Amino acid sequence: HSHRAVAEFQGQLRNVFTASLKLKDALVLSDAATASASITEIKTSISKVDLNLLKDEGLMDWMGSLKILNENLERIGSSNDLAIQRQAFSSFSDALYRSLKEFGAGGIMVYYVQCPMANNNAGAYWLSDTKEIRNPYFGNEMLSCGKVKESIQ
């Protein structure tokens, strides 16, 4: 069930997604230090999301996602272990996907991409602003492993 949120909220959520692309790109490059450093900007964009723009069920849903987003950003920021960062990024991406799908991405195109081999072949997802596959779970080992499962606007 979708709460197409007000445009202002969608824009704030879109900024969280845009900030998260630096984290994704750092993981594509297998650069743990940059991944860790990139979370400051994501946290800032999350802190600018105005809860007063939501109500009732939409607010409850966002609060649930917010907790997961913040917990996993903490895990990424406090670790220089790529395996831990990538696991946290997977949970972060799932929560951000749910919010973008529910509330809308404010008119930009967001691609939801799956790598079937990540997480010991359980699969993992990420969000991208481009259809081109650049895998944040394996980097250069399997840069183009993955496929677009969905696009959100």
Side-chain angles (χ1 to χ4, degrees), residues 7-77:
E8 197 180 347
F9 182 84
Q10 287 183 344
Q12 293 166 359
L13 194 55
R14 183 179 68 222
N15 292 342
V16 175
F17 162 68
T18 306
S20 78
L21 294 172
K22 286 189 178 131
L23 171 58
K24 170 186 68 75
D25 291 342
L27 293 174
V28 167
L29 297 171
S30 300
D31 182 344
T34 301
S36 188
S38 73
I39 70 162
T40 309
E41 192 182 331
I42 307 173
K43 282 180 168 171
T44 302
S45 61
I46 287 176
S47 71
K48 290 179 179 162
V49 175
D50 184 359
L51 301 179
N52 296 315
L53 297 171
L54 298 175
K55 50 184 184 291
D56 307 330
E57 220 169 333
L59 180 60
M60 293 299 292
D61 288 350
W62 171 247
M63 294 304 286
S65 290
L66 193 57
K67 187 170 184 289
I68 297 167
L69 294 172
N70 284 324
E71 277 170 8
N72 285 290
L73 287 174
E74 289 301 329
R75 285 172 65 200
I76 293 164

Side-chain angles (χ1 to χ4, degrees), residues 75-122:
R75 285 172 65 200
I76 293 164
S78 62
S79 176
N80 271 323
D81 180 330
L82 274 166
I84 291 170
Q85 289 181 334
R86 283 172 164 147
Q87 195 180 17
F89 175 70
S90 172
S91 303
F92 172 89
S93 297
D94 290 346
L96 188 54
Y97 163 75
R98 278 198 305 276
S99 294
L100 287 163
K101 179 134 179 91
E102 179 170 1
F103 297 112
I108 58 164
M109 197 62 107
V110 177
Y111 298 99
Y112 186 53
V113 193
Q114 184 196 30
C115 168
M117 295 174 71
N119 285 339
N120 296 320
N121 294 320

Side-chain angles (χ1 to χ4, degrees), residues 113 126 130-135 142-148:
V113 193
W126 73 92
T130 162
K131 280 184 186 165
E132 184 197 0
I133 306 293
R134 292 176 74 238
N135 189 315
M142 288 192 274
L143 192 58
S144 57
C145 175
K147 63 172 192 260
V148 174

